[in-house]
Amino acid sequence: MACVSREQHDECQEDCPRCCAWADEVEVEVVTFEGNQYTINPRPKPGQVLSRPAWHEYFLGIAEAVAARGDCRRRQVGAVVVDQYRRIVSTGYNGTWIGGPSCLAGDCPRAMSSVEPGSSYDTGPGTCLSTHAEANALLYAGVALTRTHSLYVTATPCGGCARLIRGAGIALVVTPNGKYSPMDL
């Protein structure tokens, strides 16, 4: 028997197909944020099969979105700290302190240099003003909140960030290239 209302379907104990009468009602919600309009996806059509990403794909996707806020001309990296219940604890992206100089505005010596990627970030012409994404995510979470959590990051952490990750007690690091124990970084 098909449900005749959304409320009835929500209370239904049967494994009824998505062909109930309520599924024909298409509700589209348009939200305006900072002058941009976003459409919220309507309910699925009858017979439409929906899929969702696996947890690692989901959190790496969020890390990619966080990376878009990165304030670096050379590379934008995002990181997400996730607890054992798959809840986001904090996020971070590479950039300077609040109100600090902006790499995108040309304030960072490294951005204007021709130093090779991976060279020293702390000395010489390649000095970088930013804090890395992993470090920002850990700082925002606080060490007490990061023990046994996972860190999703869009790039393999550098040596300095690997030390911070180990010190924070992160249990698992997931990058697009694979999963790692912090001791293996």
Side-chain angles (χ1 to χ4, degrees):
M1 178 174 101
C3 303
V4 294
S5 70
R6 176 63 189 239
E7 293 76 24
Q8 184 183 8
H9 178 77
D10 290 342
E11 294 175 10
C12 182
Q13 298 299 314
E14 297 179 32
D15 185 23
C16 62
R18 288 215 165 259
C19 61
C20 300
W22 65 265
D24 292 341
E25 304 168 16
V26 177
E27 295 178 14
V28 177
E29 184 178 352
V30 177
V31 177
T32 302
F33 179 72
E34 294 184 356
N36 297 314
Q37 287 193 343
Y38 301 92
T39 302
I40 307 299
N41 290 337
R43 289 191 207 128
K45 301 276 191 246
Q48 181 181 0
V49 178
L50 299 178
S51 65
R52 353 189 261 179
W55 286 110
H56 291 317
E57 293 174 80
Y58 171 72
F59 291 120
L60 282 171
I62 293 171
E64 286 289 338
V66 171
R69 290 283 308 151
D71 185 28
C72 181
R73 289 175 180 241
R74 294 173 60 120
R75 189 173 189 197
Q76 292 180 310
V77 178
V80 180
V81 176
V82 178
D83 72 12
Q84 66 268 32
Y85 304 107
R86 297 184 176 127
R87 300 290 179 241
I88 294 172
V89 175
S90 70
T91 64
Y93 52 85
N94 53 328
T96 62
W97 55 95
I98 296 172
S102 169
C103 181
L104 294 176
D107 298 335
C108 181
R110 187 172 186 85
M112 302 312 206
S113 73
S114 59
V115 297
E116 291 294 317
S119 63
S120 175
Y121 285 85
D122 300 320
T123 60
T127 300
C128 179
L129 301 176
S130 291
T131 302
H132 287 192
E134 304 92 327
N136 274 326
L138 294 171
L139 287 168
Y140 299 147
V143 174
L145 297 176
T146 58
R147 299 248 179 251
T148 73
H149 293 3
S150 300
L151 177 68
Y152 291 80
V153 63
T154 59
T156 302
C158 68
C161 287
R163 286 189 300 276
L164 290 171
I165 291 165
R166 287 191 290 269
I170 292 290
L172 176 70
V173 177
V174 181
T175 73
N177 299 323
K179 302 177 211 171
Y180 306 93
S181 160
M183 296 306 166
D184 294 334
L185 293 174

